[in-house]
């Protein structure tokens, strides 16, 4: 129920700059995910918004208010912590009611709100339990419940799913998405897990070393990463990167990766004229490398010969770790593949989906298409 | 069920704890004749039990006064200790200031400084303050032993409480004071109880300082009082000694009996999980 | 370099039966993965093989030897622990040399073996470091190195990747697979993560409540789970389960799930004749439910109408959480899908890939095909 | 760098620790005239320093004998304590037998039993064993105080060592003894050092028991010897007292100086990470 604007936020710990000139506008009802490897400053940014950390420079606005000098309790936010931080000496009911009690709500009002939240989260039967009697998933729900009873204008989540096992995480991810639609509030969510970012965020902010790398929707950052870091960070298994050279041959442009050459689709040629004979980094996602025998016929691509090093069947697909010349590559192929260890395989690369990055840091992506 | 079984394993310690109590109890009801008799069996009363020793210590000796003195000193020392220790431990466990960790270690090391080393300087300090020969001297001296150890115990408990708990309280709308009284300290209860028990026991049972610093009977506390009045050279008034020691250990037994449950619960369950 | 035979292994803790009549033959050079939810007895089984836990009943043979009464050191095994269990007071070199020293190998031999192992694992430069100076992935490698220097006949791994982050786990998975090919030894590997089991095992043993549920290759257990538990445990997101009834209509068999009816392919009819009018549980994997607009034309399937609840874009695909009538379902569809929140969508179910489970526990799978 | 800075924060404790030492040092070199003079400044020597007090305690008093006695008693008590504590703590931390946890708690509670309660029964026990008036009586008595606390410290350290470390050693081919000596105990070193320091300090500095149980000068230990021979009623031989106390505290200072590094390293770095 509120817009959040972060202007030029910087935060030093001693002499280390944890967050550098962070600029972000978060619209009302958006689900923004800050994502990045550990130490990238995402949690620090969130804690600055919460008021748990003092900023070195910058301004934070929540709704119409500049909150720089407000303590956490006056910012109208609620936060869900990584370890849930439930009060161990209070029952689930008391945990959820605590914030309302401190704000001197009437007993009946508190009771109604707690029961309402408990119903939304399906924890009505746990209200009299102590946190230590709950499972991980239940604690997670109580922590969310404690946040929603207060009906704050912004929810802050700090890696809330990182202590859950894989199955439960998939389930809670969907539940949090549903909750967001139901409550229609602004959410700022921090995680190191790109899957969580992709699946839950309406807007993703990718950070590294305290700096924002890219802001966009999940599909934008996946299809058009601004640089090598974002390309490698988003997506699992990670994008394949191959040092290569753009060459012009027989009036066509090609990628020359030493052990193989691949023809670049003619639509992309116009963007790459300036790069001819330059060294670049050629990127291709594992799912854009298909087993030739099962590849869709429509794919416009070049094929390469490789030797299979590891076969990882996943049921609905097979991941192949292959070697082609001097390059180690990963491909996600059809489960019917006949690939066998140490044997050769022909892979088709979908050349419409290639990425070209500059050789020099910060390895910007070269534009090779008009975006829709 | 599980808690019940835990108590069973405490039996050897109860025996170790109760055996002297029982011996003292028995001896305190024996007549002097029986105590000194060579045919006497230590753990059984053979002739008629007597209350003579109790009468003597309560009416002829200064025992009620000493008891009162001990009580005042112990209560005040425990209060002083806990106020200082809680503040110090909170500061050391929570606030990241320069050198807070070695400071914590230093506090513990202070506890290990042998009293012998401090005995003589303390004597002078107490003398300068004009507290020599009064029970108030103990209010200065005991905390030098209890504060470091209690602080050290509390640092351990406090650091085990995740910082996110404080932060959750702040975000929930708590002021600093509310966070402390409604979240932090309640969660640290087992640690507070353990530290209180330690402070209480040490100040109740200390022997050395009152013996050395207090000569006036009126100002004496229980432990030293018993020793000085009932052992003359190498003559031991066994019946009175036993009766007095028994009375002296009552408060400690009572404290343990009441708080043991919390103490064990705190140590076994752990509050943070 | 050795076969492992486990006969009728049982293990009680007090009165709780942790492992029940465990029977397994592990061939030489096999990579066997024991997988199951926590508390299923998989670790206990491994610890019995290691000799760290006494068995209540049964026999364990390693190579030609019955090892029931041998201490761990005489079993010719090596183990990698979940928390690595590196000796903190020793350098990496000393950690790796410790087992050889205890066995009184010559200094030169020890040195050679440690360097060899360090080279294989790429940790030559860490040999003088202490464990606390290493990152998680490096510790992991040292723990593996400590195991391989001894050249044991069987390697035991107890959840070795569970402390690593997602990216590193993918990488170490492939590395362990390669190591297995390189060393050509028998490996018994315990994990709760079905992805690790699928991708690394040559044989998977799925356990629950101390009992083996199914033994098979990754694709066998994925395509033909013996019961509902295995069907739901293997694969992520989990298989959709729908209470339904087999009905006979217009000389065809159908699955009646209340809000929709789906015709069963004729090849499967013969197997289901006995189930007509019986209640069953109908199972279908998320990837076998496709967005109609992008489904392969070759799919023989029925379509259902559903409402989208959550859209989770993953880049290479999109997970849809949908509601169809009274059923909540998950589908993995083409990333080009036009599915929007709260709107309707038509999904095609690949009826060749359906699973029918009995309604009564233990919910055995009903055979509906000849296996290749 | 970081370790260096840690030491800076220890300064207040060094002051607390060194101040009495300095005072004692200064006083021990003052002449009796200056000590008793009203114009004397406590922390400065104004007239000529003297070695008279040292001469007196070393040649006229029994100080060398007491020192030897203290040394023998302390060494033996430390050895006895550590052997018992290591075994007990290992059993309690590692072996899951019925009631091992409350047993551990019981051991700690025993440490809290006030010495007053045990004082009189111990006197009888020591008498029965014929050890009254000998330094050997202390070998029986001191461990009742040191063993419970050291065991408790060690249980804490031992339980923090992951069981997988033992198991890794077994799988690597270690026998039980090799596992203990080459993996378990080396990893527990900081705990062992802390416990040893505690046992050493307590048995060196204890005051109460030798004072009460030993009358023969030849058998006396340092602490009580100084007190009984240099304080007659309320006459204090300050110069000799200070000199003697200084000599008495030397071993403790030496032990701390040598082991502090290990101790701090153990407490700050943590061995298991």
């Amino acid at each position: 129920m509120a817009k959040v604007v972060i202007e030029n936020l910087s935060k030093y710990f001693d002499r280390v700059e944890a967050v550098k000139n962070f600029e972000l506008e978060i619209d009302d009802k958006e689900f923004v995910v800050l994502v990045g490897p550990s130490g990238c400053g995402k949690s620090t940014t969130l804690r600055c918004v919460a008021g748990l950390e003092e900023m070195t420079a910058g301004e934070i606005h929540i709704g119409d208010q500049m909150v720089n000098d407000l303590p956490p309790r006056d910012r109208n936010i609620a936060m869900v912590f990584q370890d849930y931080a439930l009060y161990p000496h209070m029952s689930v009911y008391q945990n959820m009611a605590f914030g309302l009690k401190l704000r001197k709500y009437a007993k009946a009002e508190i009771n109604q709100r707690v029961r309402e939240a408990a119903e939304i989260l399906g924890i009505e039967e746990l209200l009299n339990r102590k946190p230590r009697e709950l499972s991980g998933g239940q604690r997670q729900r109580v922590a969310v419940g404690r946040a929603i009873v207060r009906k704050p204008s912004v929810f802050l989540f700090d890696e809330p799913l990182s202590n859950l096992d894989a199955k439960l995480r998939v389930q809670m991810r969907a539940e949090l998405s549903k909750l967001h639609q139901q409550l229609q509030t602004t959410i700022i969510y921090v995680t190191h897990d790109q899957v969580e970012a992709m699946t839950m965020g309406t807007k993703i902010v990718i950070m590294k070393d305290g700096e924002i790398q890219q802001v966009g929707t999940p599909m934008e950052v996946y299809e058009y990463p601004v640089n090598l870091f974002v390309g490698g960070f988003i997506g699992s298994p990670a994008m394949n990167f191959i040092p290569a050279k753009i060459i012009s041959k027989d009036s066509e442009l090609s990628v020359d990766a030493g052990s193989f050459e691949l023809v670049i689709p003619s639509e992309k040629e116009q963007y790459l004229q300036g790069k001819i004979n330059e060294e670049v980094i050629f990127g291709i996602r594992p799912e854009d490398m298909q087993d030739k025998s099962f590849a869709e016929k429509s794919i416009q691509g070049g094929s390469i010969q490789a030797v299979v090093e590891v076969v990882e069947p996943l049921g609905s697909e097979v991941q192949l770790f292959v070697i082609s010349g001097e390059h180690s590559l990963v491909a996600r192929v059809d489960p019917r593949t006949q690939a066998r260890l140490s044997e050769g395989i022909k892979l088709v690369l979908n050349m419409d989906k290639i990425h070209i990055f500059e050789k020099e840091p910060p390895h910007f992506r070269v534009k090779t298409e008009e975006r829709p | 069920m599980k808690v019940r079984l835990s108590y069973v394993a405490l039996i050897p310690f109860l025996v170790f704890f109760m055996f002297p109590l029982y011996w003292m109890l028995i001896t305190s009801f024996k007549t002097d004749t029986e105590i000194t008799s060579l045919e006497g069996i230590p753990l059984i009363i053979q002739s008629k039990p007597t209350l003579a020793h109790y009468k003597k210590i309560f009416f002829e000796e200064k025992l009620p006064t000493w008891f009162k003195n001990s009580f005042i000193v112990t209560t005040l020392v425990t209060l002083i200790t806990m106020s200082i220790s809680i503040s110090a431990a909170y500061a050391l466990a929570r606030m990241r200031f320069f050198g807070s960790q070695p400071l914590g270690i230093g506090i513990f090391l202070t506890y290990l400084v042998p009293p012998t080393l401090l005995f003589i300087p303390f004597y002078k300090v107490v003398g300068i303050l004009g507290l020599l020969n009064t029970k108030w001297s103990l209010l200065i001296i005991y905390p030098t032993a209890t504060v470091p150890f209690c602080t050290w115990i509390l640092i351990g408990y406090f650091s085990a409480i995740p910082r996110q708990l404080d932060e959750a309280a702040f975000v929930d709308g708590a002021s600093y004071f509310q966070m402390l009284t409604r979240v932090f300290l309640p969660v640290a209860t087992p640690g507070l109880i353990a530290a209180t028990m330690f402070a209480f026991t040490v100040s109740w049972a200390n022997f050395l300082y009152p013996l050395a610093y207090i000569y006036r009977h009126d100002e004496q506390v229980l432990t030293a009082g018993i020793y000085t009045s009932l052992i003359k050279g190498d003559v031991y008034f066994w019946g009175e000694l036993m009766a007095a020691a028994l009375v002296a250990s009552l408060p400690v037994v009572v404290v343990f009996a009441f708080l043991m449950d919390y103490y064990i619960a705190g140590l076994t369950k752990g509050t943070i999980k």
Side-chain angles (χ1 to χ4, degrees), chain A residues 46-87:
Chain A
L46 190 79
R47 292 167 58 81
C48 286
V49 175
L52 294 171
E53 210 79 67
E54 260 183 65
M55 300 178 271
T56 311
E59 284 190 10
I60 294 179
H61 300 261
I62 298 179
D64 307 325
Q65 205 173 11
M66 212 268 269
V67 297
N68 279 29
D69 301 317
L70 293 182
R73 65 170 177 277
D74 296 330
R75 292 190 178 197
N76 200 12
I77 48 154
M79 186 157 171
V80 175
F81 293 86
Q82 182 171 7
D83 298 323
Y84 317 138
L86 300 178
Y87 310 120

Side-chain angles (χ1 to χ4, degrees), chain A residues 290-302:
Chain A
Q290 288 295 323
D291 184 341
K292 180 131 198 180
S293 333
F294 299 95
E296 281 179 45
K297 300 290 165 271
S298 59
I299 286 181
Q300 157 166 181

Side-chain angles (χ1 to χ4, degrees), chain A residues 23-24 47 61 101 106 123 127-128 141 146 166 186 197 205 208 220 256 262 283 286 290 321 324-325 334 337 349:
Chain A
E23 290 267 356
L24 188 67
R47 292 167 58 81
H61 300 261
K101 257 189 214 161
I123 51 171
L127 287 176
N128 293 317
R141 284 203 181 81
R146 188 171 63 178
T186 314
V205 180
K208 185 193 163 201
E220 272 166 26
D256 176 4
L262 296 163
Q290 288 295 323
F321 292 73
S324 177
D334 193 283
T337 182
L349 278 65

